[in-house]
Amino acid sequence: MSQAAPARQRRWDWRAAGNFVGGSGAGVLVCAALARALGAPAGRAPTVAVALGLIIIAAGLTSVWLEIGRPLRALNVFRQPRQSWMTRESWVATALFAAGAASLWSGSTTALMAAAALGLGFLYCQGRILAAAKGIPAWREPRIVPLILATGLAEGTGLFALVAVANGPVPAWLPLALIVLPLCRGIAFQRYHKALRRSGAPTATFAVLDRAARPFLLYAVALPAALAILSFLPDPAGAWLIALAGAAAFVGGAAFKYTLVVHAAFDQGFALPHLPTRGAGLAGAATKPGWRMP
Amino acid sequence: MTRFVMVIDLRRCIGCQACTAGCRHANATPPGVQWRRVLDLEAGTYPETRRTFVPVGCMHCGEPPCMEVCPTTATRKRDDGLVTIDYDICIGCGYCAVACPYQARYITRRPRYAYGEAATESEAARADPAMLAVATKCTFCIGRLDAARETGLTPGVDPEGTPACVNSCVTGALQFGDRDDPESNVSRLIREHKTFRMHEELGTDPGIYYIWDSQ
């Protein structure tokens, strides 16, 4: 039975997970753009955040570059924009770096807005990359796309909080964002998990996700939100609590993505809708080993 | 049009792995890489148990998810239904491997040999460095099919134009041919038997039919 049961995929390891964690950088860019757009005093934070966001995205892409078999051919990744979300992610990332660099060099708000919009596109591409992987039931569930978007934004907000605490006054909207975005990703996770239960997935995938659900909701959703609520206390405790909320929002999201990409990703396995007749016997019932059906 | 498909009679397969060996011999795949492998499936609980041997591999899908995700255009589909990989373009990202619901794709990072560190004479002669660190899979013995077209042979009928696994099947469980030709052996088998295709519900339009009963 074991030959047909779903097995954990081994093609994408921590290096591929690193690319998805790199999506946090997009969230940082969105926060930087928001800080600039709202015009609130934020010191050097938006500029530092743009640099950090670009570095994180670049680190993620470098991480996945280390995984490919033929790294010197990496530019071939740009060849299929008509179909492949991986190609689209590459094109969006290129435009994002151009806009981000222009923003850093000129201080242009328009360039920063463009970088933030492209950041959202980058996160969307990452969600679609996973959703297009038909061989992995935990990824192909369409509700993974809003989950990747929500957690990327929450992680990015967490990182932006760390930057803001270190580099200037904390924008007034930041504690609210650190309450709302982790809650959004908690809801996105619950909806994803529920949809997966409806569509069915390997038993082993559910074992991983069920085990991860509680710590995720506790440490990546409730904890940052609670710390952000407490941060309305006067400084210096408020700033520390914002920083802690940010760290929890980022680390919790990154750990979840690692779990999703590396541990929960079991393949489809094999199934027989009919067992064959043998000799004068009758055909047998269907078998789909290692699956939990709805 | 032509759509090459394989028909596998599960009632006949005895799990001898001759197809696996034939494939490895024909394609010189390294240890651990089995473009055609045979699952040994046990189902049910004692005393109502059944054992079924299921040859699997690349299904040469009509709607190949591997091609859809490939960022480099290395994976393509030909007019005759064969899904191919251009080893000179592939970057070995593995996206096709996670997109394939049949676990049909392999990526071998470094040379592996049957007997330790050194290649045998045969392995050394047939090693293809272009196949290292890129995605590989069953080709339906594409070279034989192309040669058959030029020499007028009929794939699935003439052994020289037929995939090695089909030729090596000792029970005749594996058959190959053109599904779009109503007179072909595979069309007849599909017409006259109850068949299913693996994970058809995923919309891949797989090119391997499994016979499980007579009509």
Side-chain angles (χ1 to χ4, degrees):
Chain A
M1 197 65 85
S2 61
Q3 285 184 321
R8 183 177 281 133
Q9 66 85 20
R10 308 249 175 232
R11 308 280 178 223
W12 285 5
D13 58 15
W14 63 269
R15 292 167 290 188
N19 180 40
F20 292 99
V21 174
S24 312
V28 181
L29 292 175
V30 171
C31 284
L34 195 62
R36 182 80 62 79
L38 293 179
R44 291 169 54 230
T47 309
V48 175
V50 172
L52 178 69
L54 295 178
I55 288 169
I56 287 172
I57 293 172
L61 293 171
T62 306
S63 173
V64 76
W65 178 73
L66 292 173
E67 181 156 65
I68 66 176
R70 299 275 188 163
L72 297 181
R73 294 182 193 165
L75 292 180
N76 284 355
V77 79
F78 290 101
R79 290 170 61 115
Q80 187 58 294
R82 287 176 58 199
Q83 289 192 124
S84 174
W85 283 100
M86 190 179 274
T87 298
R88 291 169 186 161
E89 183 204 35
S90 309
W91 280 109
V92 169
T94 306
L96 184 154
F97 281 114
S103 155
L104 282 176
W105 180 68
S106 67
S108 158
T109 301
T110 309
L112 179 53
M113 295 301 157
L118 288 161
L120 286 174
F122 184 76
L123 276 177
Y124 181 72
C125 287
Q126 290 201 325
R128 292 299 297 265
I129 284 174
L130 290 175
K134 264 191 179 160
I136 310 294
W139 297 350
R140 69 173 182 238
E141 165 52 49
R143 289 197 190 274
I144 202 164
V145 179
L147 175 58
I148 292 294
L149 270 167
T151 192
L153 289 174
E155 290 154 30
T157 308
L159 286 171
F160 183 80
L162 293 171
V163 171
V165 168
N167 290 279
V170 173
W173 51 266
L174 192 55
L176 188 62
L178 280 169
I179 296 167
V180 171
L181 286 169
L183 288 176
C184 283
R185 84 168 157 199
I187 293 166
F189 172 75
Q190 295 284 43
R191 288 167 66 89
Y192 158 79
H193 203 181
K194 199 172 162 188
L196 204 60
R197 277 196 289 263
R198 268 202 307 269
S199 56
T203 312
T205 288
F206 281 119
V208 172
L209 289 178
D210 292 348
R211 205 166 46 240
R214 195 179 156 87
F216 174 71
L217 294 173
L218 198 60
Y219 298 116
V221 176
L223 180 64
L227 289 169
I229 291 169
L230 291 174
S231 75
F232 288 107
L233 290 171
D235 281 340
W240 277 104
L241 288 168
I242 279 289
L244 281 174
F250 172 69
V251 174
F256 172 71
K257 281 178 176 170
Y258 179 79
T259 301
L260 187 66
V261 173
V262 178
H263 292 304
F266 285 77
D267 62 34
Q268 178 74 24
F270 294 94
L272 300 182
H274 308 276
L275 294 181
T277 53
R278 287 278 193 193
L282 298 172
T287 179
K288 193 168 188 175
W291 266 72
R292 189 200 292 179
M293 301 305 290
Chain B
M1 291 292 285
T2 297
R3 171 83 194 272
F4 285 122
V5 301
M6 195 169 281
V7 175
I8 298 175
D9 193 338
L10 294 177
R11 303 168 307 171
R12 286 183 171 221
C13 182
I14 57 172
C16 69
Q17 317 264 356
C19 54
T20 305
C23 172
R24 289 201 57 201
H25 179 72
N27 295 293
T29 55
V33 174
Q34 296 181 352
W35 289 352
R36 172 76 57 237
R37 62 190 172 114
V38 183
L39 305 176
D40 183 347
L41 259 166
E42 260 183 54
T45 49
Y46 179 82
E48 297 298 324
T49 57
R50 281 168 177 266
R51 193 175 178 197
T52 307
F53 301 107
V54 188
V56 295
C58 175
M59 303 278 166
H60 291 272
C61 300
E63 299 290 338
C66 52
M67 186 178 80
E68 189 185 315
V69 302
C70 175
T72 67
T73 69
T75 296
R76 293 178 202 154
K77 188 165 68 100
R78 304 201 317 182
D79 290 341
D80 58 6
L82 265 62
V83 177
T84 61
I85 302 172
D86 186 334
Y87 302 135
D88 294 331
I89 295 177
C90 178
I91 60 173
C93 66
Y95 195 9
C96 56
V98 293
C100 173
Y102 306 104
Q103 296 109 64
R105 290 187 166 229
Y106 296 84
I107 297 177
T108 309
R109 299 271 173 173
R110 53 189 66 85
R112 286 205 302 259
Y113 305 111
Y115 301 103
E117 294 297 311
T120 61
E121 196 176 332
S122 165
E123 285 173 329
R126 304 179 69 195
D128 182 359
M131 293 173 72
L132 284 176
V134 296
T136 68
K137 66 169 189 71
C138 158
T139 65
F140 268 174
C141 289
I142 193 169
R144 296 178 186 213
L145 300 183
D146 289 345
R149 186 188 299 152
E150 288 174 14
T151 54
L153 297 175
T154 307
V157 175
D158 298 305
E160 294 85 352
T162 300
C165 56
V166 176
N167 285 339
S168 58
C169 181
V170 296
T171 64
L174 273 61
Q175 298 292 329
F176 185 81
D178 177 10
R179 189 193 65 180
D180 288 355
D181 172 5
E183 300 307 315
S184 71
N185 54 344
V186 291
S187 293
R188 204 186 66 249
L189 285 167
I190 293 168
R191 229 177 10 248
E192 295 173 357
H193 294 84
K194 290 179 179 170
T195 62
F196 67 84
R197 292 183 290 172
M198 189 76 73
H199 305 325
E200 203 171 359
E201 71 282 2
L202 295 177
T204 53
D205 184 18
I208 293 184
Y209 289 75
Y210 293 97
I211 294 176
W212 59 278
D213 202 355
S214 304
Q215 281 289 7

